[in-house]
Each structure stands twice: as structure tokens, then as C-alpha cells.
Amino acid sequence: MKINKIRYTVAAALLSALIAGCTTSPTGRSQFILVSGAEMATLGAQSFSELKQNEKISTDKKTNAYVQCVTDAILEVTPPQPDFDKWEVVVFDSDQVNAFALPGGKIGVYTGLLKVARTQDQLASVIGHEIGHVMANHGSERVSSQVAANSALQVTSIALGASGTADADLIMAGLGLGVNVGVLLPFSRTHESESDLIGVQLMNEAGFDPNQSVALWRNMAKASDGAPPEILSTHPSHDTRIADLQTAINELPPQTRKAPNCGSPNLFG
């Protein structure tokens, strides 16, 4: 079997999957979804349950109230989600500068983030961004992309084996790198950029200062020396992110509500 025929076989397999799984994100971007939101919500709930068992949960009332207040303000302007009814937020006592939102509405915030997201507006930027991942079904999209990538490699492996092509293992290794760098990682950067856009829209609608999203990523840039090059990262570079946010902020509509005064976190006990 010739290489052109192998390429045709892979393309046909991927085309069939694409026809079966095309949908649209909240920003109008075409998506490839093979895994249902309900399935992902179940997986998200299971993963969150395990995290709560394995990670230290903050018991500080002031910090928990602060994070919950900011999150509630964002959730007030978040559209209802079709695959779950209630959001849950947990503060983890850890130096990690991180936060996440899992399918099924499970939000985790690490106390280390609060030393970088220094104001409630900056925290709102992070919370809005993470909620954006859930709104846009990025979990389903990532899993679906991985399934498609694995299927393509399996089809190619079978075709190479059947044809007796020389150096099949070497070709497969190259294809694996190509799928990873050329498809999966850039796809994740698309998710991050899209969530930035959704997040800044949510925080603006909730009455937080959207300009603080730019201040946040400047703080992040200072806190993340030695980050990998953008081409090999699942996140946009800080400069790219800041430029895109500034463009999005200039296009936001006037605010119609005022954010609550959530106070400040209890960072040091």
C-alpha cells in the first residue's frame, strides 16, 4: 500500500468522525464533539470527588466566603447549563497558583492563586475563564480530539503493517509528534483563548473591572519565569494573551450592574 493510500484511509476515518460530531461553541467556533455533556459531567463529578478526598481543603471561613462571593457574582450572569443544575466551588489549601472548572460545574480554587490574583476583579477573571471552559464544552472537545487522534494513528499503524512499509515504527513516531504538536496542543491554546474571551465577557456583565484581567496576566507573567515557548505550550504566551484581552475589552458593552464587595481573602492564617 502506498503512502498516498494510507493518507486517504486516515482522512476518510477522520472525516466520518467529523461528520458525526460537529457542533458550535458559545463564540460561534465549529467544534468536534464525540462525548456527550452528560457523560463528561459524570466524569467531572467523579474526578472532583477524588480531588476532595486527596487534596487538603481550606477551612478558613474568610477565604472561603471571599472565593464564594466572587464565584456567585459570576454565576449570576452565567447561562444555565444543560447537563447539570448546580455549581460547586471548593477552596484547596495549597501553594499552587491554579484554579479549574470541571464538566458538571465543579470549581476548584487553590489558595496560592490568591497571592497572584490580588484583587476580587482579578479573581473574577480567573473564575470567569474557568467557567468559560465548561460553557464551551472544552472537556468534551479535548477528549473527542484525543479519541480521533488515537483512532487515526491506529488506522495508520494497521495500514503500514499490512503494506510491509519499511521503517514503519519511525513513521509512526513522526506521526505521533505531528498529531501532538500540530493538532492537540494548538487546539488547547484555542480553548484557552476562547475561555479568556468568555471570561472577560462574564466578569464585565457581573460588574467587575475587565481591565483587571490584563493586570492578572501581567502578574502571572512575573510569577512564571521559564515558561515553555508558545508553540510547545497548551497556553498562549502571556504577551499574546494580554494583547487579545485588550482587544476584547475594547469591544465590551457598557456595564449594567455593580459587582459586590467581597472583601479580601485571609492569606496568612
Side-chain angles (χ1 to χ4, degrees):
M1 182 182 292
K2 295 182 179 179
I3 291 295
N4 285 341
K5 191 171 183 181
I6 295 170
R7 289 174 177 165
Y8 174 80
T9 303
V10 175
L14 287 176
L15 180 61
S16 297
L18 283 167
I19 291 171
C22 286
T23 185
T24 304
S25 78
T27 65
R29 179 178 59 84
S30 295
Q31 293 179 289
F32 169 48
I33 302 283
L34 294 176
V35 184
S36 73
E39 291 173 310
M40 292 301 298
T42 298
L43 290 173
Q46 291 173 349
S47 298
F48 200 58
S49 179
E50 292 177 10
L51 275 170
K52 289 190 291 185
Q53 292 175 18
N54 297 325
E55 299 274 351
K56 183 180 179 182
I57 296 175
S58 173
T59 57
D60 185 86
K61 292 182 179 179
K62 186 176 180 181
T63 299
N64 276 275
Y66 170 74
V67 172
Q68 190 70 57
C69 175
V70 173
T71 303
D72 286 345
I74 295 292
L75 291 177
E76 284 184 11
V77 299
T78 300
Q81 301 301 296
D83 300 308
F84 60 92
D85 297 322
K86 186 178 180 180
W87 293 82
E88 178 184 3
V89 59
V90 171
V91 180
F92 294 101
D93 189 358
S94 169
D95 289 336
Q96 288 189 56
V97 181
N98 201 9
F100 63 84
L102 297 175
K106 307 302 183 182
I107 300 171
V109 176
Y110 292 88
T111 53
L113 172 69
L114 304 179
K115 298 177 184 180
V116 178
R118 298 170 186 167
T119 68
Q120 66 173 34
D121 300 274
Q122 291 178 15
L123 179 59
S125 176
V126 178
I127 299 297
H129 170 93
E130 299 302 335
I131 288 173
H133 280 306
V134 177
M135 287 176 56
N137 295 314
H138 289 162
S140 297
E141 201 172 2
R142 283 289 287 167
V143 170
S144 299
S145 296
Q146 188 66 58
V147 169
N150 289 343
S151 297
L153 293 178
Q154 288 170 3
V155 169
T156 305
S157 180
I158 292 169
L160 288 170
S163 67
T165 301
D167 298 323
D169 290 341
L170 190 61
I171 294 172
M172 283 300 295
L175 283 172
L177 178 63
V179 169
N180 189 42
V181 176
V183 178
L184 296 184
L185 293 186
F187 208 57
S188 185
R189 290 199 298 272
T190 296
H191 290 171
E192 293 297 330
S193 296
E194 185 169 53
S195 286
D196 279 348
L197 177 60
I198 296 171
V200 80
Q201 291 171 342
L202 289 175
M203 69 180 296
N204 182 69
E205 189 174 349
F208 293 102
D209 179 6
N211 292 292
Q212 286 298 304
S213 62
V214 173
L216 167 73
W217 288 109
R218 287 182 175 142
N219 293 347
M220 287 287 194
K222 293 177 183 177
S224 59
D225 291 339
E230 182 173 0
I231 188 64
L232 293 176
S233 171
T234 57
H235 290 61
S237 72
H238 296 301
D239 289 344
T240 297
R241 195 163 217 160
I242 288 169
D244 290 345
L245 280 168
Q246 288 174 326
T247 298
I249 289 167
N250 291 336
E251 298 174 354
L252 289 172
Q255 292 182 330
T256 58
R257 66 171 69 196
K258 184 177 180 180
N261 181 0
C262 294
S264 61
N266 190 15
L267 294 178
F268 304 106

